[in-house]
PDB file of all heavy atoms in Angstrom:
ATOM      1  N   GLN A   1       0.805  -1.162   0.010  1.00  0.00           N
ATOM      2  CA  GLN A   1      -0.049   0.041   0.045  1.00  0.00           C
ATOM      3  C   GLN A   1       0.858   1.302   0.003  1.00  0.00           C
ATOM      4  O   GLN A   1       0.568   2.245  -0.669  1.00  0.00           O
ATOM      5  CB  GLN A   1      -0.905  -0.051   1.245  1.00  0.00           C
ATOM      6  CG  GLN A   1      -2.057  -1.072   1.161  1.00  0.00           C
ATOM      7  CD  GLN A   1      -2.789  -1.200   2.430  1.00  0.00           C
ATOM      8  OE1 GLN A   1      -2.276  -0.993   3.520  1.00  0.00           O
ATOM      9  NE2 GLN A   1      -4.106  -1.585   2.370  1.00  0.00           N
ATOM     10  N   GLN A   2       1.941   1.296   0.753  1.00  0.00           N
ATOM     11  CA  GLN A   2       2.821   2.386   0.766  1.00  0.00           C
ATOM     12  C   GLN A   2       3.464   2.702  -0.628  1.00  0.00           C
ATOM     13  O   GLN A   2       3.524   3.791  -1.035  1.00  0.00           O
ATOM     14  CB  GLN A   2       3.969   2.163   1.803  1.00  0.00           C
ATOM     15  CG  GLN A   2       3.488   2.281   3.261  1.00  0.00           C
ATOM     16  CD  GLN A   2       4.750   2.271   4.220  1.00  0.00           C
ATOM     17  OE1 GLN A   2       5.629   3.104   4.211  1.00  0.00           O
ATOM     18  NE2 GLN A   2       4.727   1.228   5.064  1.00  0.00           N
ATOM     19  N   GLN A   3       3.817   1.619  -1.321  1.00  0.00           N
ATOM     20  CA  GLN A   3       4.427   1.794  -2.623  1.00  0.00           C
ATOM     21  C   GLN A   3       3.274   2.334  -3.604  1.00  0.00           C
ATOM     22  O   GLN A   3       3.576   3.142  -4.468  1.00  0.00           O
ATOM     23  CB  GLN A   3       5.006   0.494  -3.162  1.00  0.00           C
ATOM     24  CG  GLN A   3       5.945   0.710  -4.400  1.00  0.00           C
ATOM     25  CD  GLN A   3       7.104   1.684  -4.163  1.00  0.00           C
ATOM     26  OE1 GLN A   3       6.941   2.814  -3.804  1.00  0.00           O
ATOM     27  NE2 GLN A   3       8.283   1.183  -4.253  1.00  0.00           N
ATOM     28  N   ARG A   4       2.078   1.919  -3.482  1.00  0.00           N
ATOM     29  CA  ARG A   4       0.956   2.476  -4.317  1.00  0.00           C
ATOM     30  C   ARG A   4       0.845   3.981  -4.040  1.00  0.00           C
ATOM     31  O   ARG A   4       0.682   4.734  -5.029  1.00  0.00           O
ATOM     32  CB  ARG A   4      -0.333   1.791  -3.911  1.00  0.00           C
ATOM     33  CG  ARG A   4      -0.437   0.370  -4.572  1.00  0.00           C
ATOM     34  CD  ARG A   4      -1.705  -0.307  -4.088  1.00  0.00           C
ATOM     35  NE  ARG A   4      -1.717  -1.659  -4.547  1.00  0.00           N
ATOM     36  CZ  ARG A   4      -2.286  -1.982  -5.787  1.00  0.00           C
ATOM     37  NH1 ARG A   4      -2.854  -1.024  -6.472  1.00  0.00           N
ATOM     38  NH2 ARG A   4      -2.283  -3.279  -6.161  1.00  0.00           N
ATOM     39  N   VAL A   5       0.923   4.337  -2.747  1.00  0.00           N
ATOM     40  CA  VAL A   5       0.910   5.775  -2.419  1.00  0.00           C
ATOM     41  C   VAL A   5       2.024   6.479  -3.010  1.00  0.00           C
ATOM     42  O   VAL A   5       1.993   7.630  -3.612  1.00  0.00           O
ATOM     43  CB  VAL A   5       0.817   6.000  -0.933  1.00  0.00           C
ATOM     44  CG1 VAL A   5       0.888   7.505  -0.578  1.00  0.00           C
ATOM     45  CG2 VAL A   5      -0.442   5.316  -0.347  1.00  0.00           C
ATOM     46  N   ALA A   6       3.270   5.842  -2.995  1.00  0.00           N
ATOM     47  CA  ALA A   6       4.494   6.474  -3.504  1.00  0.00           C
ATOM     48  C   ALA A   6       4.335   6.625  -5.072  1.00  0.00           C
ATOM     49  O   ALA A   6       4.759   7.671  -5.628  1.00  0.00           O
ATOM     50  CB  ALA A   6       5.692   5.670  -3.190  1.00  0.00           C
ATOM     51  N   ILE A   7       3.717   5.690  -5.743  1.00  0.00           N
ATOM     52  CA  ILE A   7       3.576   5.784  -7.122  1.00  0.00           C
ATOM     53  C   ILE A   7       2.521   6.944  -7.420  1.00  0.00           C
ATOM     54  O   ILE A   7       2.731   7.694  -8.368  1.00  0.00           O
ATOM     55  CB  ILE A   7       3.126   4.400  -7.762  1.00  0.00           C
ATOM     56  CG1 ILE A   7       4.223   3.397  -7.658  1.00  0.00           C
ATOM     57  CG2 ILE A   7       2.664   4.624  -9.259  1.00  0.00           C
ATOM     58  CD1 ILE A   7       3.778   2.013  -8.043  1.00  0.00           C
ATOM     59  N   ALA A   8       1.445   6.996  -6.681  1.00  0.00           N
ATOM     60  CA  ALA A   8       0.461   8.055  -6.847  1.00  0.00           C
ATOM     61  C   ALA A   8       1.154   9.391  -6.724  1.00  0.00           C
ATOM     62  O   ALA A   8       0.878  10.301  -7.535  1.00  0.00           O
ATOM     63  CB  ALA A   8      -0.614   7.915  -5.820  1.00  0.00           C
ATOM     64  N   ARG A   9       1.937   9.559  -5.755  1.00  0.00           N
ATOM     65  CA  ARG A   9       2.695  10.881  -5.554  1.00  0.00           C
ATOM     66  C   ARG A   9       3.604  11.136  -6.794  1.00  0.00           C
ATOM     67  O   ARG A   9       3.668  12.243  -7.153  1.00  0.00           O
ATOM     68  CB  ARG A   9       3.499  10.757  -4.269  1.00  0.00           C
ATOM     69  CG  ARG A   9       4.260  12.097  -3.970  1.00  0.00           C
ATOM     70  CD  ARG A   9       5.135  11.978  -2.767  1.00  0.00           C
ATOM     71  NE  ARG A   9       6.112  10.883  -2.968  1.00  0.00           N
ATOM     72  CZ  ARG A   9       6.996  10.429  -2.001  1.00  0.00           C
ATOM     73  NH1 ARG A   9       6.864  11.070  -0.736  1.00  0.00           N
ATOM     74  NH2 ARG A   9       7.858   9.516  -2.214  1.00  0.00           N
ATOM     75  N   ALA A  10       4.256  10.108  -7.273  1.00  0.00           N
ATOM     76  CA  ALA A  10       5.153  10.336  -8.395  1.00  0.00           C
ATOM     77  C   ALA A  10       4.453  10.685  -9.718  1.00  0.00           C
ATOM     78  O   ALA A  10       5.011  11.467 -10.496  1.00  0.00           O
ATOM     79  CB  ALA A  10       5.979   8.970  -8.655  1.00  0.00           C
ATOM     80  N   VAL A  11       3.222  10.335  -9.854  1.00  0.00           N
ATOM     81  CA  VAL A  11       2.533  10.521 -11.149  1.00  0.00           C
ATOM     82  C   VAL A  11       1.424  11.585 -11.087  1.00  0.00           C
ATOM     83  O   VAL A  11       0.925  11.931 -12.124  1.00  0.00           O
ATOM     84  CB  VAL A  11       1.986   9.223 -11.707  1.00  0.00           C
ATOM     85  CG1 VAL A  11       3.045   8.153 -11.832  1.00  0.00           C
ATOM     86  CG2 VAL A  11       0.768   8.680 -10.866  1.00  0.00           C
ATOM     87  N   VAL A  12       1.095  12.086  -9.900  1.00  0.00           N
ATOM     88  CA  VAL A  12      -0.047  12.975  -9.787  1.00  0.00           C
ATOM     89  C   VAL A  12       0.146  14.284 -10.543  1.00  0.00           C
ATOM     90  O   VAL A  12      -0.785  14.910 -11.049  1.00  0.00           O
ATOM     91  CB  VAL A  12      -0.272  13.325  -8.252  1.00  0.00           C
ATOM     92  CG1 VAL A  12       0.781  14.223  -7.690  1.00  0.00           C
ATOM     93  CG2 VAL A  12      -1.637  13.890  -8.049  1.00  0.00           C
ATOM     94  N   ALA A  13       1.376  14.726 -10.756  1.00  0.00           N
ATOM     95  CA  ALA A  13       1.623  15.873 -11.616  1.00  0.00           C
ATOM     96  C   ALA A  13       1.824  15.664 -13.092  1.00  0.00           C
ATOM     97  O   ALA A  13       2.253  16.520 -13.840  1.00  0.00           O
ATOM     98  CB  ALA A  13       2.840  16.641 -11.036  1.00  0.00           C
ATOM     99  N   ASN A  14       1.513  14.435 -13.485  1.00  0.00           N
ATOM    100  CA  ASN A  14       1.704  13.991 -14.909  1.00  0.00           C
ATOM    101  C   ASN A  14       3.095  14.348 -15.423  1.00  0.00           C
ATOM    102  O   ASN A  14       3.283  15.073 -16.426  1.00  0.00           O
ATOM    103  CB  ASN A  14       0.647  14.682 -15.793  1.00  0.00           C
ATOM    104  CG  ASN A  14      -0.697  14.197 -15.464  1.00  0.00           C
ATOM    105  OD1 ASN A  14      -0.930  13.115 -15.119  1.00  0.00           O
ATOM    106  ND2 ASN A  14      -1.720  15.147 -15.627  1.00  0.00           N
ATOM    107  N   PRO A  15       4.146  13.856 -14.758  1.00  0.00           N
ATOM    108  CA  PRO A  15       5.512  14.110 -15.164  1.00  0.00           C
ATOM    109  C   PRO A  15       5.832  13.448 -16.518  1.00  0.00           C
ATOM    110  O   PRO A  15       5.259  12.484 -16.948  1.00  0.00           O
ATOM    111  CB  PRO A  15       6.387  13.466 -14.071  1.00  0.00           C
ATOM    112  CG  PRO A  15       5.511  12.355 -13.567  1.00  0.00           C
ATOM    113  CD  PRO A  15       4.140  12.859 -13.586  1.00  0.00           C
ATOM    114  N   LYS A  16       6.789  14.041 -17.244  1.00  0.00           N
ATOM    115  CA  LYS A  16       7.178  13.508 -18.461  1.00  0.00           C
ATOM    116  C   LYS A  16       8.042  12.290 -18.365  1.00  0.00           C
ATOM    117  O   LYS A  16       8.127  11.375 -19.204  1.00  0.00           O
ATOM    118  CB  LYS A  16       8.031  14.603 -19.314  1.00  0.00           C
ATOM    119  CG  LYS A  16       7.249  15.904 -19.626  1.00  0.00           C
ATOM    120  CD  LYS A  16       8.054  16.869 -20.384  1.00  0.00           C
ATOM    121  CE  LYS A  16       7.326  18.065 -20.722  1.00  0.00           C
ATOM    122  NZ  LYS A  16       6.905  18.851 -19.599  1.00  0.00           N
ATOM    123  N   LEU A  17       8.724  12.198 -17.154  1.00  0.00           N
ATOM    124  CA  LEU A  17       9.674  11.040 -16.955  1.00  0.00           C
ATOM    125  C   LEU A  17       9.403  10.445 -15.548  1.00  0.00           C
ATOM    126  O   LEU A  17       9.325  11.272 -14.550  1.00  0.00           O
ATOM    127  CB  LEU A  17      11.075  11.472 -17.076  1.00  0.00           C
ATOM    128  CG  LEU A  17      12.168  10.552 -16.744  1.00  0.00           C
ATOM    129  CD1 LEU A  17      12.187   9.384 -17.698  1.00  0.00           C
ATOM    130  CD2 LEU A  17      13.561  11.292 -16.721  1.00  0.00           C
ATOM    131  N   ILE A  18       9.300   9.185 -15.447  1.00  0.00           N
ATOM    132  CA  ILE A  18       9.136   8.485 -14.163  1.00  0.00           C
ATOM    133  C   ILE A  18      10.433   7.705 -13.923  1.00  0.00           C
ATOM    134  O   ILE A  18      10.855   6.929 -14.746  1.00  0.00           O
ATOM    135  CB  ILE A  18       7.993   7.517 -14.057  1.00  0.00           C
ATOM    136  CG1 ILE A  18       6.663   8.347 -14.172  1.00  0.00           C
ATOM    137  CG2 ILE A  18       7.971   6.798 -12.720  1.00  0.00           C
ATOM    138  CD1 ILE A  18       5.425   7.430 -14.350  1.00  0.00           C
ATOM    139  N   LEU A  19      11.141   7.896 -12.800  1.00  0.00           N
ATOM    140  CA  LEU A  19      12.373   7.238 -12.439  1.00  0.00           C
ATOM    141  C   LEU A  19      12.063   6.302 -11.247  1.00  0.00           C
ATOM    142  O   LEU A  19      11.572   6.791 -10.167  1.00  0.00           O
ATOM    143  CB  LEU A  19      13.494   8.172 -12.095  1.00  0.00           C
ATOM    144  CG  LEU A  19      13.884   9.109 -13.232  1.00  0.00           C
ATOM    145  CD1 LEU A  19      14.899  10.164 -12.728  1.00  0.00           C
ATOM    146  CD2 LEU A  19      14.484   8.441 -14.377  1.00  0.00           C
ATOM    147  N   ALA A  20      12.318   5.071 -11.380  1.00  0.00           N
ATOM    148  CA  ALA A  20      11.997   4.118 -10.311  1.00  0.00           C
ATOM    149  C   ALA A  20      13.289   3.379  -9.893  1.00  0.00           C
ATOM    150  O   ALA A  20      14.013   2.791 -10.714  1.00  0.00           O
ATOM    151  CB  ALA A  20      11.064   3.023 -10.838  1.00  0.00           C
ATOM    152  N   ASP A  21      13.584   3.502  -8.627  1.00  0.00           N
ATOM    153  CA  ASP A  21      14.816   2.876  -8.088  1.00  0.00           C
ATOM    154  C   ASP A  21      14.455   1.639  -7.247  1.00  0.00           C
ATOM    155  O   ASP A  21      13.966   1.703  -6.131  1.00  0.00           O
ATOM    156  CB  ASP A  21      15.544   3.914  -7.196  1.00  0.00           C
ATOM    157  CG  ASP A  21      17.009   3.443  -6.861  1.00  0.00           C
ATOM    158  OD1 ASP A  21      17.317   2.317  -7.208  1.00  0.00           O
ATOM    159  OD2 ASP A  21      17.725   4.178  -6.191  1.00  0.00           O
ATOM    160  N   GLU A  22      14.645   0.487  -7.762  1.00  0.00           N
ATOM    161  CA  GLU A  22      14.259  -0.833  -7.109  1.00  0.00           C
ATOM    162  C   GLU A  22      12.818  -0.652  -6.582  1.00  0.00           C
ATOM    163  O   GLU A  22      12.645  -0.907  -5.328  1.00  0.00           O
ATOM    164  CB  GLU A  22      15.252  -1.110  -5.999  1.00  0.00           C
ATOM    165  CG  GLU A  22      16.691  -1.310  -6.466  1.00  0.00           C
ATOM    166  CD  GLU A  22      16.981  -2.621  -7.130  1.00  0.00           C
ATOM    167  OE1 GLU A  22      16.036  -3.458  -7.279  1.00  0.00           O
ATOM    168  OE2 GLU A  22      18.204  -2.820  -7.504  1.00  0.00           O
ATOM    169  N   PRO A  23      11.841  -0.439  -7.349  1.00  0.00           N
ATOM    170  CA  PRO A  23      10.435  -0.154  -6.901  1.00  0.00           C
ATOM    171  C   PRO A  23       9.790  -1.312  -6.124  1.00  0.00           C
ATOM    172  O   PRO A  23       8.873  -1.026  -5.394  1.00  0.00           O
ATOM    173  CB  PRO A  23       9.709   0.259  -8.057  1.00  0.00           C
ATOM    174  CG  PRO A  23      10.403  -0.434  -9.226  1.00  0.00           C
ATOM    175  CD  PRO A  23      11.886  -0.413  -8.845  1.00  0.00           C
ATOM    176  N   THR A  24      10.257  -2.537  -6.307  1.00  0.00           N
ATOM    177  CA  THR A  24       9.696  -3.695  -5.645  1.00  0.00           C
ATOM    178  C   THR A  24      10.692  -4.323  -4.585  1.00  0.00           C
ATOM    179  O   THR A  24      10.386  -5.416  -4.090  1.00  0.00           O
ATOM    180  CB  THR A  24       9.247  -4.791  -6.658  1.00  0.00           C
ATOM    181  OG1 THR A  24      10.460  -5.367  -7.204  1.00  0.00           O
ATOM    182  CG2 THR A  24       8.402  -4.182  -7.719  1.00  0.00           C
ATOM    183  N   GLY A  25      11.776  -3.635  -4.352  1.00  0.00           N
ATOM    184  CA  GLY A  25      12.753  -4.199  -3.498  1.00  0.00           C
ATOM    185  C   GLY A  25      12.364  -4.521  -2.029  1.00  0.00           C
ATOM    186  O   GLY A  25      12.953  -5.481  -1.498  1.00  0.00           O
ATOM    187  N   ASN A  26      11.419  -3.871  -1.581  1.00  0.00           N
ATOM    188  CA  ASN A  26      10.930  -4.066  -0.224  1.00  0.00           C
ATOM    189  C   ASN A  26       9.543  -4.789  -0.175  1.00  0.00           C
ATOM    190  O   ASN A  26       8.907  -4.729   0.884  1.00  0.00           O
ATOM    191  CB  ASN A  26      10.842  -2.782   0.575  1.00  0.00           C
ATOM    192  CG  ASN A  26      12.204  -2.285   0.993  1.00  0.00           C
ATOM    193  OD1 ASN A  26      13.155  -3.110   1.192  1.00  0.00           O
ATOM    194  ND2 ASN A  26      12.318  -0.998   1.318  1.00  0.00           N
ATOM    195  N   LEU A  27       9.145  -5.366  -1.264  1.00  0.00           N
ATOM    196  CA  LEU A  27       7.806  -5.990  -1.349  1.00  0.00           C
ATOM    197  C   LEU A  27       7.923  -7.463  -1.565  1.00  0.00           C
ATOM    198  O   LEU A  27       8.923  -7.989  -2.093  1.00  0.00           O
ATOM    199  CB  LEU A  27       7.061  -5.333  -2.541  1.00  0.00           C
ATOM    200  CG  LEU A  27       6.962  -3.855  -2.506  1.00  0.00           C
ATOM    201  CD1 LEU A  27       6.143  -3.405  -3.771  1.00  0.00           C
ATOM    202  CD2 LEU A  27       6.186  -3.362  -1.281  1.00  0.00           C
ATOM    203  N   ASP A  28       6.913  -8.215  -1.100  1.00  0.00           N
ATOM    204  CA  ASP A  28       6.903  -9.636  -1.438  1.00  0.00           C
ATOM    205  C   ASP A  28       6.452  -9.822  -2.893  1.00  0.00           C
ATOM    206  O   ASP A  28       6.182  -8.830  -3.559  1.00  0.00           O
ATOM    207  CB  ASP A  28       5.767 -10.370  -0.521  1.00  0.00           C
ATOM    208  CG  ASP A  28       4.395  -9.806  -0.661  1.00  0.00           C
ATOM    209  OD1 ASP A  28       3.978  -9.344  -1.751  1.00  0.00           O
ATOM    210  OD2 ASP A  28       3.665  -9.726   0.371  1.00  0.00           O
ATOM    211  N   SER A  29       6.495 -11.021  -3.407  1.00  0.00           N
ATOM    212  CA  SER A  29       6.299 -11.213  -4.835  1.00  0.00           C
ATOM    213  C   SER A  29       4.970 -10.812  -5.326  1.00  0.00           C
ATOM    214  O   SER A  29       4.864 -10.214  -6.427  1.00  0.00           O
ATOM    215  CB  SER A  29       6.663 -12.694  -5.151  1.00  0.00           C
ATOM    216  OG  SER A  29       5.768 -13.516  -4.492  1.00  0.00           O
ATOM    217  N   LYS A  30       3.954 -11.023  -4.577  1.00  0.00           N
ATOM    218  CA  LYS A  30       2.615 -10.691  -5.060  1.00  0.00           C
ATOM    219  C   LYS A  30       2.409  -9.145  -5.186  1.00  0.00           C
ATOM    220  O   LYS A  30       2.064  -8.724  -6.217  1.00  0.00           O
ATOM    221  CB  LYS A  30       1.576 -11.189  -4.022  1.00  0.00           C
ATOM    222  CG  LYS A  30       0.125 -10.851  -4.394  1.00  0.00           C
ATOM    223  CD  LYS A  30      -0.854 -11.481  -3.403  1.00  0.00           C
ATOM    224  CE  LYS A  30      -2.343 -11.135  -3.735  1.00  0.00           C
ATOM    225  NZ  LYS A  30      -2.627  -9.713  -3.510  1.00  0.00           N
ATOM    226  N   ASN A  31       2.824  -8.467  -4.167  1.00  0.00           N
ATOM    227  CA  ASN A  31       2.799  -7.005  -4.223  1.00  0.00           C
ATOM    228  C   ASN A  31       3.722  -6.420  -5.295  1.00  0.00           C
ATOM    229  O   ASN A  31       3.536  -5.372  -5.927  1.00  0.00           O
ATOM    230  CB  ASN A  31       3.063  -6.338  -2.866  1.00  0.00           C
ATOM    231  CG  ASN A  31       1.830  -6.392  -1.953  1.00  0.00           C
ATOM    232  OD1 ASN A  31       0.762  -5.870  -2.250  1.00  0.00           O
ATOM    233  ND2 ASN A  31       2.004  -7.023  -0.797  1.00  0.00           N
ATOM    234  N   GLY A  32       4.911  -7.089  -5.461  1.00  0.00           N
ATOM    235  CA  GLY A  32       5.847  -6.674  -6.459  1.00  0.00           C
ATOM    236  C   GLY A  32       5.302  -6.751  -7.856  1.00  0.00           C
ATOM    237  O   GLY A  32       5.492  -5.820  -8.638  1.00  0.00           O
ATOM    238  N   VAL A  33       4.565  -7.808  -8.106  1.00  0.00           N
ATOM    239  CA  VAL A  33       4.056  -7.994  -9.448  1.00  0.00           C
ATOM    240  C   VAL A  33       2.916  -6.943  -9.656  1.00  0.00           C
ATOM    241  O   VAL A  33       2.756  -6.329 -10.776  1.00  0.00           O
ATOM    242  CB  VAL A  33       3.445  -9.456  -9.657  1.00  0.00           C
ATOM    243  CG1 VAL A  33       2.614  -9.448 -10.899  1.00  0.00           C
ATOM    244  CG2 VAL A  33       4.644 -10.386  -9.703  1.00  0.00           C
TER     245      VAL A  33
END
């Protein structure tokens, strides 16, 4: 859920570029997928 919020924050301003640094590194496989 925290990573969903982080993604929401990253895209809310409709940026031209999204940079993701190990975006699933702290998640289990289900949440990672």
Side-chain angles (χ1 to χ4, degrees):
Q1 290 171 331
Q2 288 188 61
Q3 194 60 299
R4 286 172 181 271
V5 176
I7 293 172
R9 181 184 59 187
V11 304
V12 71
N14 295 327
K16 297 178 178 67
L17 174 65
I18 297 172
L19 300 175
D21 192 357
E22 301 283 0
T24 69
N26 282 337
L27 304 178
D28 60 36
S29 59
K30 178 176 180 291
N31 281 302
V33 170

